[in-house]
Coordinates of all heavy atoms in Angstrom, one line a residue:
V9 N 108.4 124.5 110.0 CA 107.7 125.2 111.1 C 108.3 126.7 111.2 O 107.5 127.6 111.7 CB 107.9 124.5 112.5 CG1 109.3 124.8 113.1 CG2 106.8 124.9 113.4
K10 N 109.5 127.0 110.7 CA 109.9 128.4 110.6 C 109.1 129.3 109.6 O 109.3 130.4 109.7 CB 111.4 128.3 110.2 CG 112.2 127.6 111.3 CD 113.7 127.4 110.8 CE 114.5 126.5 111.7 NZ 115.9 126.5 111.3
L11 N 108.4 128.6 108.7 CA 107.7 129.4 107.7 C 106.3 129.9 108.1 O 105.7 130.6 107.4 CB 107.4 128.4 106.5 CG 108.7 127.8 105.8 CD1 108.3 126.9 104.7 CD2 109.6 128.9 105.3
G12 N 106.0 129.6 109.4 CA 104.7 130.0 109.9 C 103.7 128.9 109.8 O 103.9 127.9 109.1
L13 N 102.5 129.0 110.5 CA 101.6 128.0 110.5 C 101.0 127.6 109.1 O 101.0 126.4 108.8 CB 100.3 128.4 111.4 CG 99.3 127.4 111.6 CD1 99.8 126.0 112.2 CD2 98.1 127.9 112.5
L14 N 100.5 128.6 108.4 CA 99.9 128.2 107.0 C 100.9 127.6 106.1 O 100.7 126.6 105.5 CB 99.3 129.6 106.6 CG 98.7 129.3 105.1 CD1 97.5 128.2 105.2 CD2 98.1 130.7 104.6
N15 N 102.0 128.4 105.9 CA 103.0 128.0 104.8 C 103.8 126.7 105.4 O 104.1 125.8 104.6 CB 104.0 129.1 104.6 CG 103.4 130.3 103.9 OD1 102.4 130.1 103.2 ND2 103.9 131.4 104.2
G16 N 104.1 126.7 106.6 CA 104.8 125.5 107.2 C 103.9 124.2 107.1 O 104.4 123.1 106.7
T17 N 102.6 124.3 107.3 CA 101.8 123.2 107.3 C 101.6 122.6 105.8 O 101.7 121.5 105.6 CB 100.3 123.5 107.8 OG1 100.5 123.9 109.1 CG2 99.4 122.3 107.8
L18 N 101.4 123.5 104.9 CA 101.3 123.2 103.5 C 102.6 122.6 103.0 O 102.5 121.5 102.3 CB 101.0 124.5 102.7 CG 99.6 125.0 102.8 CD1 99.6 126.4 102.0 CD2 98.6 124.1 102.1
V19 N 103.8 123.1 103.3 CA 105.0 122.7 102.8 C 105.3 121.2 103.4 O 105.7 120.2 102.7 CB 106.2 123.6 103.2 CG1 107.6 123.0 102.9 CG2 106.1 124.8 102.3
S20 N 105.1 121.1 104.7 CA 105.4 119.8 105.4 C 104.4 118.6 104.9 O 104.9 117.5 104.7 CB 105.4 119.9 106.9 OG 104.1 120.4 107.4
V21 N 103.2 119.0 104.8 CA 102.2 117.9 104.5 C 102.4 117.5 103.0 O 102.5 116.4 102.7 CB 100.8 118.4 104.7 CG1 99.7 117.5 104.1 CG2 100.4 118.6 106.2
L22 N 102.7 118.6 102.2 CA 103.0 118.2 100.8 C 104.2 117.4 100.5 O 104.2 116.4 99.8 CB 103.0 119.6 99.9 CG 103.2 119.4 98.3 CD1 102.1 118.6 97.8 CD2 103.3 120.7 97.7
S23 N 105.2 117.7 101.3 CA 106.5 117.0 101.3 C 106.4 115.6 101.7 O 107.0 114.7 101.1 CB 107.6 117.8 102.0 OG 107.7 119.1 101.6
V24 N 105.6 115.3 102.8 CA 105.6 114.1 103.3 C 104.5 113.2 102.7 O 104.7 112.0 102.2 CB 105.2 114.2 104.8 CG1 105.1 112.7 105.4 CG2 106.4 114.9 105.6
L25 N 103.3 113.8 102.2 CA 102.1 113.1 101.7 C 102.3 112.9 100.1 O 101.8 112.1 99.6 CB 100.8 113.7 102.1 CG 100.2 113.4 103.4 CD1 98.9 114.0 103.5 CD2 99.9 111.8 103.5
G26 N 102.8 114.0 99.6 CA 102.6 114.3 98.1 C 103.1 113.0 97.3 O 102.2 112.5 96.4
L27 N 104.3 112.7 97.4 CA 104.9 111.6 96.4 C 104.1 110.2 96.7 O 103.8 109.6 95.6 CB 106.4 111.5 96.6 CG 107.0 110.5 95.7 CD1 106.7 110.7 94.2 CD2 108.6 110.5 95.9
P28 N 104.2 109.7 97.8 CA 103.5 108.4 98.1 C 102.1 108.3 97.6 O 101.6 107.4 96.9 CB 103.6 108.1 99.6 CG 103.9 109.4 100.2 CD 104.6 110.2 99.2
L29 N 101.3 109.4 97.9 CA 99.9 109.3 97.4 C 99.7 109.6 95.9 O 98.8 109.0 95.3 CB 99.1 110.4 98.2 CG 98.8 110.2 99.7 CD1 97.9 111.1 100.2 CD2 98.3 108.7 100.0
L30 N 100.6 110.4 95.4 CA 100.6 110.4 93.9 C 100.8 109.1 93.2 O 100.2 108.7 92.3 CB 101.6 111.5 93.5 CG 101.7 111.7 92.0 CD1 102.0 113.3 91.7 CD2 102.7 110.9 91.2
L31 N 101.9 108.4 93.7 CA 102.2 107.1 93.1 C 101.0 106.1 93.3 O 100.6 105.4 92.4 CB 103.3 106.5 93.8 CG 104.7 107.2 93.6 CD1 105.9 106.7 94.4 CD2 105.1 107.1 92.0
L32 N 100.4 106.2 94.6 CA 99.3 105.1 94.8 C 98.0 105.6 94.0 O 97.3 104.8 93.5 CB 99.0 105.2 96.3 CG 100.1 104.5 97.2 CD1 99.8 104.7 98.7 CD2 100.2 103.0 96.9
G33 N 97.9 106.8 93.8 CA 96.8 107.3 93.0 C 96.9 106.9 91.5 O 95.9 106.6 90.8
A34 N 98.1 106.8 91.0 CA 98.4 106.4 89.6 C 98.1 104.9 89.4 O 97.9 104.4 88.3 CB 99.8 106.7 89.3
V35 N 97.9 104.1 90.5 CA 97.8 102.7 90.3 C 96.4 102.3 89.8 O 96.2 101.5 88.9 CB 98.1 102.0 91.7 CG1 97.5 100.6 91.7 CG2 99.5 102.1 92.0
S36 N 95.3 102.9 90.3 CA 93.9 102.4 90.0 C 93.6 102.5 88.6 O 93.1 101.6 87.9 CB 92.9 103.2 90.9 OG 93.0 103.0 92.2
P37 N 93.9 103.6 87.8 CA 93.6 103.6 86.3 C 94.2 102.6 85.6 O 93.6 102.1 84.7 CB 94.0 105.0 86.0 CG 94.1 105.9 87.1 CD 94.5 104.9 88.3
Q38 N 95.5 102.2 86.0 CA 96.2 101.3 85.3 C 95.7 99.8 85.6 O 95.6 99.0 84.6 CB 97.7 101.3 85.7 CG 98.4 102.6 85.2 CD 99.8 102.8 85.6 OE1 100.7 102.2 85.1 NE2 100.1 103.4 86.7
F39 N 95.2 99.6 86.8 CA 94.6 98.3 87.1 C 93.3 98.2 86.4 O 92.9 97.1 85.9 CB 94.3 98.2 88.6 CG 95.5 97.8 89.5 CD1 95.7 98.0 90.8 CD2 96.6 97.1 88.8 CE1 96.7 97.6 91.5 CE2 97.8 96.8 89.6 CZ 97.8 96.9 90.9
I40 N 92.5 99.3 86.3 CA 91.3 99.1 85.6 C 91.5 98.9 84.2 O 90.7 98.0 83.6 CB 90.5 100.6 85.7 CG1 90.1 100.7 87.2 CG2 89.3 100.6 84.8 CD1 89.5 102.1 87.4
Q41 N 92.5 99.5 83.5 CA 92.8 99.2 82.1 C 93.2 97.7 82.0 O 92.8 97.0 80.9 CB 94.0 100.0 81.6 CG 94.5 99.8 80.2 CD 93.4 100.1 79.2 OE1 92.5 100.9 79.4 NE2 93.4 99.4 78.1
Q42 N 94.0 97.1 82.8 CA 94.5 95.7 82.7 C 93.2 94.8 82.8 O 93.1 93.7 82.0 CB 95.5 95.4 83.8 CG 96.8 96.1 83.6 CD 97.8 95.7 84.7 OE1 97.8 94.7 85.2 NE2 98.6 96.8 85.2
I43 N 92.3 95.0 83.8 CA 91.2 94.2 83.9 C 90.3 94.2 82.7 O 89.7 93.3 82.2 CB 90.5 94.5 85.2 CG1 91.3 94.1 86.4 CG2 89.2 93.7 85.3 CD1 90.7 94.5 87.8
S44 N 90.2 95.5 82.2 CA 89.3 95.7 80.9 C 89.8 95.0 79.8 O 89.1 94.5 78.9 CB 89.3 97.2 80.6 OG 88.6 97.9 81.7
E45 N 91.2 94.9 79.7 CA 91.8 94.1 78.6 C 91.4 92.6 78.7 O 91.7 91.8 77.7 CB 93.3 94.4 78.6 CG 93.7 95.7 78.2 CD 95.1 96.1 78.3 OE1 95.9 95.3 78.8 OE2 95.5 97.2 77.9
S46 N 91.0 92.2 79.8 CA 90.7 90.7 80.0 C 89.3 90.5 79.7 O 88.7 89.5 80.2 CB 91.2 90.2 81.3 OG 90.2 90.9 82.3
Q47 N 88.6 91.3 79.0 CA 87.1 91.2 78.5 C 86.2 91.5 79.6 O 85.0 91.3 79.5 CB 86.9 89.8 77.9 CG 87.9 89.3 76.8 CD 88.0 90.3 75.8 OE1 87.0 90.7 75.3 NE2 89.2 90.6 75.2
E48 N 86.6 92.0 80.7 CA 85.7 92.5 81.8 C 85.2 93.9 81.5 O 86.1 94.8 81.1 CB 86.3 92.4 83.1 CG 85.3 92.7 84.3 CD 85.9 92.4 85.7 OE1 86.7 91.3 85.8 OE2 85.5 93.0 86.6
R49 N 84.0 94.2 81.6 CA 83.6 95.5 81.3 C 84.3 96.7 82.1 O 84.5 96.4 83.3 CB 82.0 95.6 81.5 CG 81.3 94.8 80.4 CD 79.8 94.9 80.6 NE 79.0 94.2 79.7 CZ 77.7 94.1 79.7 NH1 77.0 94.7 80.5 NH2 77.0 93.4 78.7
A50 N 84.4 97.8 81.5 CA 85.2 98.9 82.2 C 84.4 99.4 83.4 O 85.1 99.6 84.4 CB 85.3 100.0 81.2
G51 N 83.1 99.5 83.4 CA 82.4 100.0 84.4 C 82.4 98.9 85.7 O 82.6 99.4 86.8
T52 N 82.4 97.6 85.2 CA 82.5 96.6 86.3 C 83.9 96.7 87.0 O 84.1 96.5 88.1 CB 82.2 95.3 85.7 OG1 80.9 95.2 85.2 CG2 82.4 94.2 86.8
A53 N 85.0 96.7 86.1 CA 86.2 96.7 86.5 C 86.5 97.9 87.5 O 87.2 97.7 88.5 CB 87.2 96.8 85.2

């Protein structure tokens, strides 16, 4: 908050949200690949 409204908001939100959402975002492509390998069509998966 000492960095000001704009910079402070960006830094705090990125610090708190960034890592967990990055990890969760990386899950879906890998799940799609796993299901596709079981003969289910990629679009359906």
